[in-house]
Amino acid sequence: MGFLTYLINGLSLGSVYALIALGYTMVYGIAKMLNFAHGDVIMIGAYVVFMTMSNTGLPIPIAIILSIICCTVLGMVIEKIAYAPLRKATNLAVLITAIGVSYFLQNIALMIFGSNPVSFTSVISWEGLSFAGGQLRITGNAIVTIVVCLVIMAALMWFVKYTKPGQAMRAVSEDRDAAMLMGINVNATISLTFAIGSGLAAIAGALLCSSYPSLTPYTGSMPGIKAFTAAVFGGIGSIPGALVGGLLLGIIEILAKAYISSQLADAIVFAVLIIVLLVKPTGILGKQIKEKV
């Protein structure tokens, strides 16, 4: 029963990584840039939920909706101010800007909330299910996190495949110049991508802090890095790849903590990533892109 418990916990953690990885993989797939400030948007979203619940007494669904709205607006503002002027800049310039935005958000949070951890109240009150006479217990946090991840993933894949904005995203991802010639508003499409990714980050922040209820201005840093690892693991630019990479990464991390060493778990996760990329550089579901020269 212990292995099943660890496996379920791994799926739960991996679901959070997958939700965060979606932001990375969508922005990279469409805008061809890495938004390393994405992890800090998670932190901002979690703080919005915490402040709304603790200071206003509003219901949890309202707090989460406000968090999604705030993070969506924040993502669009970051894209417009920091990234839009760098459309034709080098990848290094975009990367340095993303790191700068990340530190900016962390320091703003430090000024407002301080460095002391706050205790985050779970947004999920359901205790969960028990099986085999109580030997196997699945927490409500784990069940809800996994279900939310799968529903969002299915909805996002439907959106990208069947709606006009989603088809515009696919067109911009395939060939930005050709999409522009066909009348697609590339800037609006990229802004929409940032908005969706940031909104999902708010949900991921609430679910992450519900399972690990300690919130600081640095809360989003390591999950953000691991989610980026999951996106690369599964094949960055692929929505199903973000799901597969996130789930596998969560399972590997939890099993490594349980059976090997909690101190070496992160090292093992990154070592597995290196091995996978040596065997398949595009990731598990990534596709090799051939360019004509």
Side-chain angles (χ1 to χ4, degrees), residues 64-105:
I64 295 175
I65 291 172
L66 287 175
S67 177
I68 293 172
I69 293 172
C70 289
C71 287
T72 299
V73 173
L74 177 62
M76 296 176 69
V77 170
I78 290 173
E79 189 277 330
K80 188 63 65 178
I81 295 176
Y83 299 135
L86 303 177
R87 288 278 191 266
K88 297 183 180 180
T90 62
N91 290 334
L92 181 60
V94 176
L95 180 61
I96 293 173
T97 301
I99 295 172
V101 173
S102 174
Y103 281 118
F104 175 78
L105 293 177

Side-chain angles (χ1 to χ4, degrees), residues 208-256:
L208 175 67
C209 290
S210 293
S211 298
Y212 303 90
S214 179
L215 178 59
T216 73
Y218 305 107
T219 291
S221 297
M222 185 54 72
I225 293 173
K226 290 180 180 177
F228 172 69
T229 303
V232 175
F233 193 12
I236 193 163
S238 167
I239 293 177
L243 174 63
V244 172
L247 294 179
L248 288 177
L249 202 73
I251 292 171
I252 292 170
E253 180 177 338
I254 294 298
L255 292 181

Side-chain angles (χ1 to χ4, degrees), residues 31-162:
K32 297 297 183 288
M33 64 174 61
L34 296 174
N35 178 24
F36 280 114
H38 190 63
D40 299 290
V41 177
I42 300 165
M43 173 267 296
I44 296 296
Y47 267 115
V48 172
V49 173
F50 171 77
M51 296 299 292
T52 303
M53 290 171 56
S54 60
N55 292 342
T56 66
L58 290 173
I60 291 174
I62 301 298
I64 295 175
I65 291 172
L66 287 175
S67 177
I68 293 172
I69 293 172
C70 289
C71 287
T72 299
V73 173
L74 177 62
M76 296 176 69
V77 170
I78 290 173
E79 189 277 330
K80 188 63 65 178
I81 295 176
Y83 299 135
L86 303 177
R87 288 278 191 266
K88 297 183 180 180
T90 62
N91 290 334
L92 181 60
V94 176
L95 180 61
I96 293 173
T97 301
I99 295 172
V101 173
S102 174
Y103 281 118
F104 175 78
L105 293 177
Q106 287 181 14
N107 281 276
I108 288 294
L110 277 170
M111 291 172 59
I112 297 174
F113 304 110
S115 59
N116 294 328
V118 297
S119 181
F120 189 94
T121 303
S122 176
V123 298
I124 303 165
S125 57
W126 182 33
E127 294 184 359
L129 300 173
S130 296
F131 301 94
Q135 296 184 32
L136 175 61
R137 184 174 179 275
I138 308 175
T139 65
N141 281 333
I143 296 172
V144 172
T145 300
I146 295 169
V147 171
V148 167
C149 175
L150 295 176
V151 169
I152 288 176
M153 195 69 63
L156 189 59
M157 291 179 68
W158 176 87
F159 175 82
V160 170
K161 188 172 183 179
Y162 294 108

